[in-house]
Amino acid sequence: MSLVRLNIKGISYSQTQNGAYALILSEVDGERKLPIVIGAFEAQSIAIALEKEIKPPRPLTHDLFKNFADRFDVVVKQVIIHKLVDGVFYSSIICERDKIEEIIDARTSDAIALALRFQAPIFTYKNILDQAGIYLKVNPKKDDDDAESLLVDELVSDDVEMVGKETSYQDLSLEELNRMLDQAVGNEDYELAARIRDEISKRG
């Protein structure tokens, strides 16, 4: 499978769902965009790395990892978004130390936050881009930011529906709640997972 190099186009946010962000990646030699829903903390960490002028008074988690890796001569060579399952992207960080290469599994948002700090290239496979890549169709009366914001709203719409069911958790069985908990964790939606876990604990 052939690899496609990606650039970071930017981070957009949802106008309807607080704390929902999307990282917009674009293929280097093409017009398609790859939107990935990420959390607020990861969005902040990526934004700080993109800005470069902003220096937090204390290292963020990804900065700490970079400092740790530098101290022990570990270099991040590249990041590969290698799998897409049920809307969740899976990534690998390709590292090198003493000319020995290692592959480390990582959440895509973390992998990209680190790739920025190591100035490492980001790739995905062509079949993933074929499956999830989109062309942003911008209305002439709207700018790119408006189009991307609408895109984020669409991406998180399923999550919004799930959150809206919070008040009906009491009507669900423990088996249903546990299944929803597994799904939320699988989708890396830890806020939703925490709410479901709290409901399960109440019945404890």
Side-chain angles (χ1 to χ4, degrees):
M1 289 184 287
S2 58
L3 287 172
V4 178
R5 185 161 180 177
L6 303 169
N7 282 335
I8 297 175
K9 186 176 186 298
I11 297 172
S12 190
Y13 65 95
S14 168
Q15 293 181 347
T16 62
Q17 173 79 346
N18 286 338
Y21 295 84
L23 176 66
I24 311 294
L25 303 173
S26 59
E27 59 179 328
V28 171
D29 297 317
E31 298 295 324
R32 286 176 296 183
K33 308 291 186 289
L34 190 66
I36 300 173
V37 175
I38 61 176
F41 171 76
E42 291 79 7
Q44 178 191 46
S45 181
I46 291 169
I48 286 173
L50 286 170
E51 288 297 327
K52 299 196 186 300
E53 293 86 15
I54 301 175
K55 293 286 183 188
R58 302 291 294 157
L60 298 176
T61 303
H62 299 110
D63 298 319
L64 175 62
F65 184 97
K66 172 71 162 61
N67 295 340
F68 187 90
D70 288 345
R71 185 66 58 91
F72 292 96
D73 297 321
V74 176
V75 178
V76 171
K77 304 291 287 183
Q78 62 184 12
V79 162
I80 300 176
I81 303 170
H82 64 85
K83 188 166 67 171
L84 173 61
V85 179
D86 296 330
V88 178
F89 292 93
Y90 293 78
S91 294
S92 296
I93 301 173
I94 315 301
C95 302
E96 186 178 275
R97 181 173 184 265
D98 295 334
K99 297 184 179 178
I100 298 173
E101 192 173 273
E102 298 285 351
I103 300 174
I104 299 174
D105 180 49
R107 293 191 309 163
T108 298
S109 53
D110 290 328
I112 290 173
L114 290 173
L116 280 168
R117 286 161 170 81
F118 283 90
Q119 298 182 335
I122 302 164
F123 296 93
T124 192
Y125 289 110
K126 183 179 180 297
N127 67 317
I128 292 177
L129 199 55
D130 290 341
Q131 182 181 349
I134 60 168
Y135 293 92
L136 276 181
K137 294 178 179 144
V138 181
N139 185 318
K141 295 180 181 177
K142 297 178 180 285
D143 60 20
D144 282 349
D145 291 340
D146 289 336
E148 287 169 12
S149 180
L150 290 171
L151 169 65
V152 183
D153 290 341
E154 290 175 13
L155 288 170
V156 301
S157 61
D158 292 340
D159 294 333
V160 172
E161 287 177 14
M162 185 71 87
V163 171
K165 294 176 183 175
E166 181 179 357
T167 55
S168 64
Y169 286 163
Q170 59 190 4
D171 300 328
L172 300 174
S173 68
L174 272 175
E175 183 182 350
E176 289 171 319
L177 287 170
N178 280 306
R179 190 165 58 247
M180 286 173 63
L181 178 61
D182 290 341
Q183 183 180 6
V185 171
N187 290 335
E188 300 178 1
D189 188 345
Y190 300 117
E191 290 180 18
L192 177 60
R195 286 193 290 271
I196 297 170
R197 187 198 59 223
D198 289 344
E199 178 62 29
I200 293 172
S201 298
K202 284 180 194 172
R203 307 185 188 188

